[in-house]
Every structure is written in C-alpha cells, then in structure tokens.
C-alpha cells in the first residue's frame, strides 16, 4: 500500500540521468539536484511533493564536469535584494514579475526563500547567495558572491542570520591548511559603515574571511 501511495516526479530535460542529492526546504517542498550523463550540467529543482509541480532554481554548466557537494543551505527567511550591500543589479525581467513589480515588494511573496550554494564557476569553490521568488517562472536570483579569490570553501559549518554570518571551513591562509572562517551573508554591516568598508576593500568584491582558529590548520 505504501508503494501505491508513492508519487513519481519527472526529471528536468537538461539533467535527467542522475538524481544526486535531495534536501527538504523550509516550506516542506523538496529540492533535488540533477545531473546529466556527462556531469557537465547540474540543476537544482524545487518539487512540491503535494501537487507535483516543480521549478528550476538554478542551472550550473561546465566545459568539463561539475563536482557534487553538500553545500546547499536554505536560510530561515527570504533575503530581499536591498538588504544586501552593495545592492545587486537585478535584471528587469526578474523584477517585473507582474504589473505590481512583485519582486521588489516587501515582504517578498509567501513561499519565497533564500539559500546558499557553492559553485566552482571561477575555478575555485565559493559560496553564492540566491533568492527564489514564489510565483516566478525564472530561476532564483543571484544576490551576492559571498566568498571569492584563489582559495576554496570546503564546507558550510553553520549559519547565524542574526549576526549575518556564515561559518565555513576553507583554505584561505594556505592550500595545505584548513581553518574555520566567518563571512558576511548580506554584508549589511558594511552598509552601516560605508566609509570604513571602502577603505578596506572594493565593495564590488567579497571581503576576505575572518579566521576563527588560532592553531595550525587541519
């Protein structure tokens, strides 16, 4: 009887061969990671397990292959673009979901959510902040590049939205060492201290991580 009540879902056409990962989202929907046979395309797909409706959240492409990882982290609440610093340049088609300019409304439509996802699109594994707007036919919108540079984020250790921090394990100090670091999620604290931030780094680039471990790396 359990099999009789099971629901079948169709894979996305661009990446239908491998079901690589499945995780639950805050609203009770599932998020599946699909890859094609050559492992050069990866798609994140949100699946409403009650209705069977699905939405592509993100499509990653590579000329060689895409390494799988576990660095997909849904946040406890959706992040609006103007919470980030600098404020992201959102494409008009992503803003104008309706005559009421739904994307820029506050709060975001019920069912919207944000997530962190790691990608090697630059040649190094780094974190990116996305927001998916409920009701949109587009993929999730990239709001911020959270980490960047010639080093690797290896794992997400935890999230503290109240302090606007993500804790990661990475190789910022040396490729031979792994340390615990903190990075801003929205960078909103930099917005409050704009002049200081400009003196420290270009606001178009992610800031360097703050190292939290003192001993030699693992």
């Amino acid at each position: 009887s359990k099999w009789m009540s099971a629901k079948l879902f169709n894979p996305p056409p661009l990446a239908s061969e491998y079901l690589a990962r499945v995780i639950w989202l805050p609203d009770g929907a599932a998020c599946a990671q699909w890859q094609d046979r050559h492992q050069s395309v990866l798609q994140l797909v949100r699946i409403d397990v009650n209705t069977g409706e699905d939405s592509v959240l993100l499509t990653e492409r590579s000329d060689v292959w895409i390494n799988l990882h576990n660095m997909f982290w849904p946040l406890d609440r959706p992040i609006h673009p103007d919470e980030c610093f600098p404020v992201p340049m959102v494409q008009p088609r992503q803003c104008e979901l309706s005559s009421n300019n739904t994307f820029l409304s506050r709060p975001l439509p019920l069912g919207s959510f944000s997530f962190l996802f790691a990608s090697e699109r630059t040649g190094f594994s780094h974190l990116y902040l996305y927001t998916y707007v409920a009701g949109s036919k587009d993929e999730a919108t990239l709001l911020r590049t959270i980490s960047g540079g010639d080093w690797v984020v290896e794992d997400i250790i935890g999230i503290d939205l109240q302090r606007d921090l993500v804790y990661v394990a990475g190789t910022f100090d040396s490729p031979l060492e792994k340390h615990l670091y903190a990075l801003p999620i929205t960078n909103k604290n930099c917005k409050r201290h704009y002049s200081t931030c400009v003196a420290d780094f270009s606001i178009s680039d992610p800031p360097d991580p703050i190292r939290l471990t003192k001993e030699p790396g693992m």
Side-chain angles (χ1 to χ4, degrees):
S1 59
K2 291 183 179 180
W3 285 109
M4 293 295 292
S5 62
K7 292 185 179 180
L8 301 179
F9 303 96
N10 294 321
L14 292 180
S16 60
E17 282 80 11
Y18 298 121
L19 176 59
R21 301 281 192 277
V22 177
I23 190 172
W24 291 105
L25 297 173
D27 64 354
C31 181
Q33 295 187 34
W34 290 89
Q35 279 193 312
D36 65 338
R37 184 172 297 279
H38 299 290
Q39 294 181 283
S40 59
V41 178
L42 181 145
Q43 288 192 305
L44 300 184
V45 180
R46 178 190 178 276
I47 303 171
D48 188 318
V49 296
N50 295 312
T51 66
E53 295 181 357
D54 58 19
S55 306
V56 176
L57 302 176
L58 176 66
T59 301
E60 286 269 305
R61 291 180 172 87
S62 172
D63 293 333
V64 282
W65 69 83
I66 296 174
N67 289 315
L68 293 170
H69 57 74
N70 294 312
M71 289 183 282
F72 172 83
W73 197 295
L75 302 183
D76 291 339
R77 67 171 184 84
I79 304 297
H80 193 279
D82 63 16
E83 293 182 67
C84 299
F85 185 79
V87 176
M89 296 297 293
V90 180
Q91 297 298 320
R93 69 180 182 86
Q94 293 170 313
C95 293
E96 298 170 4
L97 300 182
S98 70
S99 59
N100 296 324
N101 211 14
T102 304
F103 187 88
L104 297 179
S105 66
R106 272 189 170 277
L108 290 169
L110 186 64
S112 302
F113 64 93
S114 297
F115 59 91
L116 304 184
F117 190 72
S119 170
E120 294 180 340
R121 67 191 63 168
T122 64
F124 297 88
S125 175
H126 285 297
L127 290 183
Y128 300 85
L129 170 64
Y130 289 87
T131 287
Y132 170 74
V133 181
S136 171
K137 296 182 179 179
D138 294 318
E139 295 187 7
T141 299
L142 174 62
L143 299 187
R144 279 198 73 234
T145 300
I146 290 179
S147 62
D150 297 347
W151 64 285
V152 171
V153 173
E154 295 188 350
D155 196 10
I156 298 176
I157 306 301
I159 298 284
D160 188 339
L161 269 182
Q162 185 174 358
R163 291 182 172 85
D164 192 47
L165 292 174
V166 53
Y167 300 97
V168 303
T171 63
F172 179 78
D173 286 271
S174 167
L176 303 179
E177 299 180 0
K178 181 168 68 174
H179 292 282
L180 177 66
Y181 299 95
L183 284 158
I185 298 173
T186 66
N187 214 21
K188 63 182 180 182
N189 292 324
C190 185
K191 186 175 183 180
R192 297 170 184 169
H193 306 287
Y194 175 76
S195 59
T196 303
C197 292
V198 171
D200 291 341
F201 60 89
S202 169
I203 61 173
S204 62
D205 299 323
D208 289 342
I210 300 171
R211 178 172 160 178
L212 301 178
T213 47
K214 295 181 180 179
E215 299 300 322
M218 295 175 281

